[in-house]
Amino acid sequence: MRLSADQMIFWQHGFLKLNGTIVFTWALMLVLALGAKLITRNLSTDLERSRWQNFLEIAVTSMRKQIEEVGLSHAEKYMPFLGTLFLFVAAANLFTIIPGYEPPTGSLSTTAALALCVFVAVPLFGIEDQGLGGYLKSYLEPTVIMLPFNIISELSRTLALAVRLFGNMMSGAMILSILLTITPFLFPIVMTLLGLLTGMVQAYIFSILAGVYIAAAIGAREATSKPKPAQS
């Protein structure tokens, strides 16, 4: 029973391995990059637009609205990062309908890498918005005693992101593998469809949580940088 693409070894030399997680991750990135290039090459600024462009604009507008709803006022600034996270996780699970494909999000290494991207992006956006001094100052709020607790909070939520996505993806793969061995053909099809739905939900949750963390970081910096009202 194969539960993860890590168990698919395409090439090995000593301790160096080229497993399914690496192959499928890079293949997925290539597909997303080429797909983005192809679907945006004939975009028009005229009043008459194709149905495909209208669909793309609806999707982008929906993403912008979701980003703004988590508290990020300048959605276009965060759209490339959050939108890419959503598309990668969603596409990684959508392609499970292809025979022989294993979603790289079923590997802890992939989910940890995605969580680390969020871990790095949060302070980068915070520093860009408020400066290095303003960002670091928030770790000392309301007192210096809170510094270790704030650091632990940053690390623990990164771990939680990775484990949450890995656990949900792995559980779906495990249930499907068990059903493939003990049930007829019908149940695995139903579970595959359910897995696709679960994958889309997890992509949404992961990207929204990333947006919430960024909004919380920037919001905290904005709160510390606002001038106090003058006392009469």
Side-chain angles (χ1 to χ4, degrees):
M1 182 185 300
R2 185 172 64 243
L3 301 179
S4 172
D6 289 339
Q7 299 173 347
M8 300 176 63
I9 306 299
F10 293 97
W11 175 83
Q12 181 174 359
H13 181 71
F15 64 92
L16 297 177
K17 293 182 180 180
L18 184 63
N19 57 27
T21 299
I22 298 175
V23 172
F24 292 135
T25 298
W26 282 93
L28 180 60
M29 290 190 295
L30 180 61
V31 170
L32 290 176
L34 292 178
K37 182 66 176 180
L38 291 175
I39 64 179
T40 58
R41 61 178 179 173
N42 293 322
L43 297 182
S44 174
T45 57
D46 299 333
L47 294 178
E48 294 184 2
R49 303 174 184 178
S50 64
R51 293 182 178 179
W52 177 247
Q53 182 171 344
N54 289 332
F55 171 77
L56 291 178
E57 292 183 357
I58 292 173
V60 172
T61 302
S62 299
M63 287 185 181
R64 287 173 58 92
K65 184 177 180 181
Q66 290 294 325
I67 293 174
E68 290 173 352
E69 287 181 352
V70 299
L72 298 172
S73 56
H74 302 287
E76 65 279 356
K77 179 179 178 181
Y78 313 98
M79 174 75 75
F81 177 70
L82 297 177
T84 301
L85 279 180
F86 173 79
L87 291 176
F88 180 85
V89 178
N93 294 277
L94 183 62
F95 290 163
T96 52
I97 59 177
I98 301 176
Y101 170 84
E102 296 287 344
T105 48
S107 170
L108 184 58
S109 59
T110 302
T111 56
L114 293 173
L116 284 175
C117 290
V118 178
F119 178 74
V120 174
V122 169
L124 286 180
F125 282 120
I127 293 173
E128 181 183 2
D129 190 74
Q130 296 296 329
L132 181 60
Y135 179 83
L136 295 178
K137 184 179 179 181
S138 66
Y139 284 93
L140 305 178
E141 297 293 338
T143 64
V144 180
I145 300 176
M146 294 301 297
L147 175 61
F149 298 101
N150 288 329
I151 295 176
I152 293 173
S153 175
E154 294 280 346
L155 297 175
S156 62
R157 72 184 183 189
T158 302
L159 178 62
L161 269 180
V163 173
R164 179 197 300 271
L165 183 60
F166 169 73
N168 288 323
M169 295 300 100
M170 175 59 73
S171 62
M174 182 179 295
I175 293 175
L176 181 59
S177 299
I178 294 174
L179 289 177
L180 282 172
T181 59
I182 63 176
T183 62
F185 186 65
L186 178 61
F187 287 164
I189 293 179
V190 175
M191 289 304 302
T192 299
L193 296 177
L194 182 59
L196 294 178
L197 177 61
T198 302
M200 296 299 292
V201 172
Q202 292 305 316
Y204 174 78
I205 293 175
F206 191 90
S207 56
I208 288 296
L209 285 177
V212 169
Y213 294 156
I214 295 173
I218 294 177
R221 280 48 172 189
E222 290 177 348
T224 57
S225 63
K226 286 182 179 179
K228 296 181 179 180
Q231 296 180 355
S232 58

